[in-house]
Amino acid sequence: MAADLAVRSLLPLQILLYLNQWYYIFWLIIESLCFVFKGQTLPFASGVLAGEIILFIFLFFLDMFRIFFATKGNLTERIFGIVVSMILTLPSIGGSLYLLIWQHYVLRVELIINAIQLVFIILELILEIIAIIVFARTSS
């Protein structure tokens, strides 16, 4: 009976997801200010800045959904939410790499905040794999 009441959700994953929610608000503000600065001071080809801003906004909402599904999957101890979060992680890594390496102009502050974002994503992915193993092992 006591084994049925055991908590299987991962506390390190939940702490990382909580911190990542706050970090993404910080990231949104800093990245927005960087785009304003770049738009005012640096020359861009037609449509490039708009495309990067659209990607930035899409990436923000994608990561919020990814964090939401990971949080719900971890707290409810269900594999489905974690798997959805892992699927959303792939485009999130691609968008983060674009903002880190391949965007038209990369400021040093963007390099730092996007590298931190990528570290968050990779650590969460590792902990999500561990969570799936724990949930699958104890559910059978």
Side-chain angles (χ1 to χ4, degrees), residues 3 17-18 30 35-36 50 54 68 74 77 95 100 121 125 133 138:
L17 291 168
Y18 177 78
I30 298 298
F35 277 122
V36 168
I54 290 169
F68 171 77
N74 188 36
E77 300 174 0
L100 184 66
I121 292 170
L125 183 62
I133 293 169
T138 56

Side-chain angles (χ1 to χ4, degrees), residues 40-105:
Q40 295 294 319
T41 59
L42 300 172
F44 277 93
S46 177
V48 172
L49 182 62
E52 289 183 356
I53 291 173
I54 290 169
L55 173 73
F56 158 68
I57 293 169
F58 173 75
L59 185 61
F60 175 75
F61 286 112
L62 177 77
D63 281 330
M64 284 294 123
F65 282 123
R66 182 183 62 79
I67 292 171
F68 171 77
F69 280 113
T71 301
K72 292 302 175 192
N74 188 36
L75 291 178
T76 59
E77 300 174 0
R78 301 205 189 272
I79 295 175
F80 178 75
I82 302 290
V83 169
V84 170
S85 176
M86 289 176 70
I87 291 169
L88 293 176
T89 298
L90 298 176
S92 182
I93 288 174
S96 296
L97 284 175
Y98 178 82
L99 291 176
L100 184 66
I101 300 170
W102 298 306
Q103 70 175 318
H104 201 69
Y105 296 107

Side-chain angles (χ1 to χ4, degrees), residues 8-11 13-14 17 70 73-75 77-79 82-83 86 124-138:
R8 299 176 300 167
S9 61
L10 296 181
L11 182 61
L13 176 60
Q14 198 60 39
L17 291 168
N74 188 36
L75 291 178
E77 300 174 0
R78 301 205 189 272
I79 295 175
I82 302 290
V83 169
M86 289 176 70
E124 287 171 1
L125 183 62
I126 292 168
L127 289 174
E128 286 171 351
I129 292 169
I130 294 170
I132 286 177
I133 293 169
V134 168
F135 297 163
R137 185 181 308 155
T138 56

